[in-house]
Amino acid sequence: MLAIIGGTGLTELANLTITHRHDATTPLGNASCGVIQGTLDGSPMLFLPRHGVTHSIPPHRINYRANLWALQQAGATRIVSLNAVGAIDPFLKPGSLMLPDQLIDYTSGRDATFFDGDFKPLEHIEFSQPYDETLRHALCLASEQAGIGLEEGGTYACTQGPRLETAAEIARIAMEGCRVVGMTGMPEASLARELAIPYACLALVVNPAAGVVDETIPMDRIQAALSLAAQRAERVIVSLSQQAL
Ligand code: HPA
């Protein structure tokens, strides 16, 4: 079953008909909320807002392990993660969607593995390609079918937050080859891989990253970009859910 992890700007899917709410408790603590099960235009779907229903859990305090565990328990067989990002590449405009093909993890101190020697014995997973190619391809097709532009490829930088970056940090991250920056892409992606669930990130561009443009972007413009990108993302998800597997 297709599962969506919603991020900032997407704490619910407007057209989801809810049929069941799973329990939030897992052996790894509580998930951000119980996994929501339902149908979107007739297609079965799971949904989990990673910041909780009231958007109160900051990126570094999300229990990513519990979230991924809860999704697997609920029957997730592929996961599309929606992540708000800042654009490091000035070509990427606020309100647009981007599909990363690589990531760099700049986070620290997050519980990042099931294979910690306590919960599960040590294991080293293969992670050279962090996102599932088949699911990425399906998302490209879905966006095409929905008539929504999707910028294909680039590296997602995951910073610790919750503060935004300095201009110098973004300049460094840009030199290291990243195209977008967000705070929630890791350890989600590697935890999904540890559970062998195909996972892809659909990035919602909401602002130019620090120092990329000279002006300070007012909050209402960021909000407008977020809601535009969220509407577009939702249409891509509807189109994805209607694809024959
Ligand atoms: N930096 C980090 N995370 C973000 C940003 C940003 O500029 N915009 C949205 N999420």
Side-chain angles (χ1 to χ4, degrees):
M1 192 165 15
L2 174 63
I4 308 298
I5 303 180
T8 301
L10 257 174
T11 49
E12 56 179 30
L13 286 177
N15 297 315
L16 188 71
T17 306
I18 298 170
T19 54
H20 184 67
R21 284 175 197 274
H22 292 261
D23 197 353
T25 54
T26 80
L28 295 138
N30 281 357
S32 298
C33 74
V35 173
I36 297 161
Q37 186 165 339
T39 55
L40 190 69
D41 277 7
S43 308
M45 190 171 296
L46 299 170
F47 182 72
L48 180 63
R50 71 164 70 74
H51 297 284
V53 270
T54 57
H55 201 274
S56 52
I57 312 170
H60 63 293
R61 296 183 80 173
I62 291 168
N63 189 337
Y64 294 95
R65 297 199 305 172
N67 283 357
L68 270 291
W69 192 262
L71 283 169
Q72 189 185 49
Q73 290 302 304
T77 52
R78 46 186 196 151
I79 298 174
V80 172
S81 160
L82 305 176
N83 302 82
V85 295
I88 298 171
D89 176 354
F91 175 81
L92 293 171
K93 297 300 170 214
S96 64
L97 301 179
M98 185 265 195
L99 189 68
D101 58 5
Q102 273 297 331
L103 65 82
I104 297 181
D105 186 1
Y106 296 96
T107 67
S108 57
R110 301 184 181 187
D111 281 335
T113 180
F114 296 112
F115 301 123
D116 60 359
D118 293 321
F119 185 69
K120 284 188 181 197
L122 173 65
E123 211 176 295
H124 300 287
I125 54 154
E126 218 290 312
F127 199 49
S128 54
Q129 302 301 324
Y131 302 116
D132 183 76
E133 226 10 77
T134 307
L135 187 50
R136 289 186 70 255
H137 183 70
L139 278 162
C140 284
L141 210 69
S143 71
E144 231 174 84
Q145 283 163 349
I148 296 196
L150 176 61
E151 184 57 29
E152 212 285 293
T155 300
Y156 172 104
C158 191
T159 55
Q160 175 70 356
R163 69 165 175 85
L164 292 164
E165 301 72 32
T166 66
E169 284 169 338
I170 291 298
R172 186 188 120 193
I173 293 171
M175 274 194 304
E176 290 178 339
C178 298
R179 224 179 154 197
V180 293
V181 57
M183 300 173 190
T184 50
M186 281 296 284
E188 226 177 63
S190 53
L191 288 167
R193 180 63 55 82
E194 288 188 353
L195 295 178
I197 305 174
Y199 175 100
C201 163
L202 184 60
L204 284 60
V205 179
V206 299
N207 60 285
V212 170
V213 293
D214 285 337
E215 50 174 342
T216 306
I217 313 291
M219 212 44 219
D220 58 337
R221 244 162 74 196
I222 294 181
Q223 271 306 332
L226 183 57
S227 70
L228 177 61
Q231 282 165 33
R232 288 173 168 163
E234 202 163 339
R235 283 168 55 196
V236 173
I237 297 303
V238 170
S239 167
L240 178 71
S241 71
Q242 287 165 354
Q243 275 174 19
L245 273 180

